[in-house]
């Protein structure tokens, strides 16, 4: 057993290590300056730079306005440094020139926050650059309903779903729009359309499912899209989409809840089951199945629309007059609603009849028995979505405002100029409801019925 | 002259208890058929003739029902089309979509294609004027569209149609069910689907793109204030005129010229 052990002397080893370190330090740090006391001052930053072989981080240029402190050291401005590093200027609010005894300028954090918020909003509002798909690998056709020549939120969801399918594989979205002669009021490019096919002929307006299906089939033949998406609405998108699917011999997926390139989810069994399957060619998409495109702009380049011919077998005789009093609240198109500010109930019923509107009411009014319970609007009543809602003497409790959250146009008449309903309204009249109701009834009778 | 009206009915499921019942839209289609003056209403079902829920339709006033006996999940379109082709009814009615299976709403379109007759979706009333049918189509927001078409036709009835009458127990017991054996192809495409319970998602409140959580909270809680016009200190007549002008400008009410 040959045992060869080297005996180590720890003290000597330490000495050697220290000497080596001093040598290295002297070699690496030529800039080290001598302090008045005679000791050599180390510059750790230079040492680190020499070790890593990387130049020391550039110290942000100090603005000349930065005052030198009493000790003569230059003060760093960490905010300016951060801004120069990130390349983004921090919005600094105009400072109110308040002289403080110490001479320092005082910042107002509230003003700063407002300025920051304004800068964020301005960035968001700045028109997004137009995104283009020059050479798409495939096409996705979306056919919005465009009722009243507007994109409904369901339409936007469908175009958003098409956008998702197209973006997943480098495709492009073609929106087929039956615009009618007056054109579309909303931008299709903002909704997410790369291309656009327009059928502006008056024969496609109104109820023309056979013509529309023929046009969609012609577009499918011309463009050969991978998928065709419709909103699954009762008598517009759902009808045309099923006609197209039957003509193509495709087993369309309806009531589609989730859309992905390889798998979709559709609802069945009376809303109690979800089926997952590979997507067929025609998809009838439910509302809120996908998020709409926001804050982005696409090209919406117009493609030549193919010519189509179809003979309608069902005659459209236009809209029939309906009695607004019999229409269920959730379906009503125009609602005149009463709150605690209304005392003259005969005048209220007369003004609703004169305007041809359905009647609604707030919870206190229905509690008091002035209107039947099924006329109550709000969180505990009906969530209504008419095109216009006239609130007579309703202050606007949060629960009531929830009930009208989807209403596009709100007219408020209230004695209190500071109530929430006046803030919510698109047109608000501050004044006495009792005096205004007969005046509104009179003018409605004069100008609607001519007496 | 009696007009043959065939109503295709299916077995529905109660949305809460899940028990078999008459399907809501199909029951409304039967109601619509029974309300047509001089109609000879025939009920047709494809599936299991022993299903007790079928008697609910007989209890509404139709005396007999034809059941095309086939396997529960087989494809009913071909047997139905063949049966209707031989029967040649003037009007075929059914609910817009079933509530117990795929619920695709495609059957009326396939039947109309097979019979080569026009299809009218979503009707809430139907009356006959000679060889023509005059119909009202239910639209969202309580609107109705007037349509006319010549017979024969296929029409679907939505859940916004008038509510069905109650089913009478005696009539349901006395009604007869004629069974006809048919061969229906199994639905092979459906075997590849996976089925699971429906996942309810919360309603979307607001669509927005926010940089931070604070922005999201602000967007949800902040009221969109200050964009509307506020009229103050106006006499009632002028205020009423301003409101009426606004309603006319937005196309809510039509003023006489």
């Amino acid at each position: 057993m040959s045992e060869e052990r080297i005996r180590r002397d720890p003290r000597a080893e330490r000495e050697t290590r220290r000497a080596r370190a001093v040598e290295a330090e002297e070699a690496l740090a030529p800039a080290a300056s001598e302090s008045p006391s005679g000791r050599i001052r180390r510059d750790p930053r230079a040492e680190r730079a020499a070790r890593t072989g990387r130049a020391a981080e550039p110290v942000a240029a100090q603005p000349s306005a930065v005052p030198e402190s009493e000790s003569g050291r230059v003060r760093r401005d960490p905010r300016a440094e951060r801004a120069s590093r990130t390349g983004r200027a921090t919005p600094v609010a105009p400072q109110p020139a308040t002289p403080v005894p110490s001479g320092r300028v005082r910042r107002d954090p509230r003003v700063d926050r407002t300025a920051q918020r304004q800068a964020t909003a301005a960035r968001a509002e700045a028109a997004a650059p137009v995104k283009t798909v020059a050479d798409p690998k495939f096409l996705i056709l979306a056919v919005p309903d465009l009722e009243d020549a507007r994109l409904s939120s369901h339409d936007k969801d469908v175009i958003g779903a098409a956008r998702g399918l197209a973006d997943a594989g480098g495709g492009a979205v073609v929106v087929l729009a039956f615009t009618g002669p007056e054109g579309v009021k909303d931008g299709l490019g903002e909704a997410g359309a790369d291309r656009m096919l327009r059928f502006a002929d008056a024969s496609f307006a109104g109820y023309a499912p056979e013509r529309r299906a023929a046009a969609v089939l012609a577009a499918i033949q011309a463009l050969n899209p991978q998928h065709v998406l419709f909103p699954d609405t009762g008598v517009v998108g759902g009808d045309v989409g099923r006609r197209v699917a039957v003509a193509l011999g495709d087993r369309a997926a309806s009531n589609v809840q989730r859309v992905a390139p390889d798998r979709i989810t559709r609802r069945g069994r009376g809303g109690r089951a979800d089926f997952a399957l590979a997507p067929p060619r025609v998809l009838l998409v439910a509302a809120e199945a996908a998020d709409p495109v926001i804050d982005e702009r696409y090209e919406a380049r117009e493609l030549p629309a193919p010519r189509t011919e179809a003979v309608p077998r069902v005659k459209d005789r236009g809209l029939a007059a309906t009695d607004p009093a019999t229409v269920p609240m959730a379906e009503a198109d125009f609602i005149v609603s009463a709150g605690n500010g209304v005392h003259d109930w005969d005048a209220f019923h007369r003004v609703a009849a004169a305007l041809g509107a359905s009647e609604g009411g707030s919870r206190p009014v229905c509690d008091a028995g002035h209107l039947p319970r099924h006329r109550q609007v709000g969180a505990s009543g009906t969530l209504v979505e008419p095109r216009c809602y006239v609130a007579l003497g309703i202050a606007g409790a949060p629960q009531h405002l929830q009930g009208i959250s989807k209403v596009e146009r709100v007219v408020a008449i209230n004695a209190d100029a500071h109530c929430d309903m006046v803030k919510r309204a698109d047109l608000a009249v501050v004044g006495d409801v009792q005096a205004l109701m007969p005046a509104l009834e009179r003018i409605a009778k004069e100008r609607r019925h001519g007496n | 002259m009696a007009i043959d009206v065939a109503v295709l009915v299916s077995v529905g499921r109660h949305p809460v208890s899940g028990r078999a019942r008459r399907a809501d839209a199909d029951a409304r289609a039967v109601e619509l058929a029974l309300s047509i003056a001089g109609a000879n209403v025939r009920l047709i079902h494809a599936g299991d003739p022993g299903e007790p829920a079928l008697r609910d339709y007989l209890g509404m006033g139709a005396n007999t029902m034809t059941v095309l006996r086939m396997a529960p999940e087989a494809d009913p379109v071909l047997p139905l089309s063949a049966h209707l082709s031989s029967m040649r009814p003037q009007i075929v009615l059914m609910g817009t979509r079933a509530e117990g299976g795929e619920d695709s709403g495609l059957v009326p379109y396939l039947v109309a294609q097979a019979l080569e007759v026009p299809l009218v979706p979503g009707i809430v009333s139907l009356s006959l004027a000679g060889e023509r049918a005059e119909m009202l189509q239910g639209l969202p927001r309580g609107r109705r569209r007037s349509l006319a078409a010549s017979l024969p036709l296929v029409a679907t009835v939505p859940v916004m149609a008038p509510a069905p009458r109650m089913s009478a127990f005696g009539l349901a017991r006395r009604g007869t069910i004629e069974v006809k054996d048919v061969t229906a192809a199994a639905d092979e495409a459906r075997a590849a689907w996976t089925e699971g319970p429906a996942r309810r998602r919360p309603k979307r409140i607001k669509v927005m793109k926010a940089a931070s959580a604070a922005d999201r909270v602000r967007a949800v809680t902040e009221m969109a204030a200050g964009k509307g016009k506020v009229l103050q200190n106006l006499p009632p007549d002028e205020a009423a005129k301003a409101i009426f002008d606004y309603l006319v400008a937005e196309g809510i009410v039509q003023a006489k010229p």
Side-chain angles (χ1 to χ4, degrees), chain A residues 157 207 232 239 242 251 266-267 269-270 272 274 276 315 317-318 320 331 385 409 426 428 430 447, chain B residues 13 97 100-104 109 121 141 144 146 148 187 194-196 199 204 229 231 245 250 256:
Chain A
D157 294 348
Y207 181 71
D232 196 358
D239 183 31
R242 286 183 175 88
R251 183 169 184 170
R266 61 172 307 278
R267 192 147 290 177
R269 302 210 186 279
R272 283 173 297 115
D274 276 346
K315 191 160 179 270
R317 291 166 160 191
E331 278 188 29
E385 38 191 311
R409 306 170 189 87
D426 300 280
V430 178
R447 294 196 29 202
Chain B
R13 293 270 158 201
R97 57 171 68 174
E102 185 186 344
D103 305 359
S104 68
Y109 294 84
R141 301 187 185 289
R144 300 284 181 261
S146 176
D187 193 351
T194 52
E195 184 180 343
R199 290 183 56 170
R204 191 164 67 202
K229 204 164 89 173
L231 307 174
D245 287 344
E250 296 290 330
K256 267 196 176 173

Side-chain angles (χ1 to χ4, degrees), chain B residues 71-183:
Chain B
E73 299 276 295
D75 187 358
V77 172
L78 284 179
L80 281 175
S81 306
H83 183 74
L84 289 170
S85 304
S86 64
M87 191 182 142
R88 285 272 150 215
Q90 296 291 293
I91 300 172
V92 181
L93 291 176
M94 67 197 93
T96 42
R97 57 171 68 174
E99 53 184 46
E102 185 186 344
D103 305 359
S104 68
L106 279 169
V107 171
Y109 294 84
L110 293 165
V111 167
Q113 192 193 35
L115 299 178
E116 294 174 343
V117 297
L119 180 129
V120 189
I123 65 162
V124 297
S125 84
L126 190 151
S127 59
L128 294 170
E131 277 297 290
R132 289 176 76 75
E134 290 175 358
M135 291 159 283
L136 279 183
Q137 188 178 46
L139 303 179
R141 301 187 185 289
R143 291 173 297 168
R144 300 284 181 261
R145 184 187 274 135
S146 176
L147 299 173
S150 57
L151 301 177
L153 59 86
V154 175
T156 65
V157 180
V159 285
M160 67 171 82
R165 64 191 68 181
M166 286 175 74
S167 178
F169 183 73
L171 285 176
R173 286 288 298 267
R174 282 195 294 278
T176 53
I177 290 181
E178 294 167 9
V179 181
K180 195 174 155 188
D181 281 305
V182 294
T183 51

